[in-house]
Amino acid sequence: MYNELLANIAILVLAGFVGFAVISKVPNTLHTPLMSGTNAIHGIVVLGALVVLGHLPGDAPWSIKLILFVALVFGTLNVVGGFVVTDRMLAMFKPKKAVAEKKEADA
C-alpha cells in the first residue's frame, strides 16, 4: 500500500510540473480558447461526480458523502467561474460600440 501511495503522489507532483510547463508556454492569444476547452472538461468531471454521488450505497460513511459533495461544489464553482472569466475575456475583443450597446440593453 505504501508503494502505491508513493507512486500516486509522485505522479501527481510530476503532472503538476508538466501542466505548469505546458501552460506557461501558451501565448496570450490562445488563453481564451484553452480556458473554454478546460471548462468543458471540468463540466464532464462535475457530471462524473454526480454519477458517483448517485451510485453511492446507502450505508456509505458520511465522511465520503461530505468529501464528494464538497468536491462537487468546488468543481461547479470552477466551471461557472471559468465561463464568467472567458466571457469577460471575449468581451475585450469586441468593438467598443457593441459593448456599449450591450450595457444599454442590459440596463
Side-chain angles (χ1 to χ4, degrees):
M1 175 169 159
Y2 179 74
N3 289 337
E4 291 177 17
L5 178 64
L6 191 59
N8 287 336
I9 291 174
I11 289 171
L12 178 68
V13 170
L14 290 174
F17 284 132
V18 169
F20 178 77
V22 169
I23 294 299
S24 65
K25 306 267 189 291
V26 174
N28 290 337
T29 55
L30 293 179
H31 274 285
T32 302
L34 183 65
M35 280 187 66
S36 296
T38 304
N39 290 335
I41 292 169
H42 286 189
I44 294 169
V45 169
V46 168
L47 195 63
L50 283 171
V51 169
V52 170
L53 188 61
H55 281 80
L56 277 179
D59 60 346
W62 280 103
S63 59
I64 292 177
K65 292 178 182 179
L66 180 67
I67 291 171
L68 186 57
F69 179 74
V70 169
L72 183 62
V73 168
F74 283 158
T76 304
L77 288 173
N78 192 14
V79 170
V80 171
F83 279 118
V84 168
V85 169
T86 301
D87 186 51
R88 288 185 67 191
M89 288 172 61
L90 289 174
M92 293 186 332
F93 294 105
K94 292 180 182 175
K96 299 293 183 196
K97 184 177 179 182
V99 172
E101 290 174 1
K102 183 180 177 187
K103 285 184 180 177
E104 290 174 6
D106 290 340

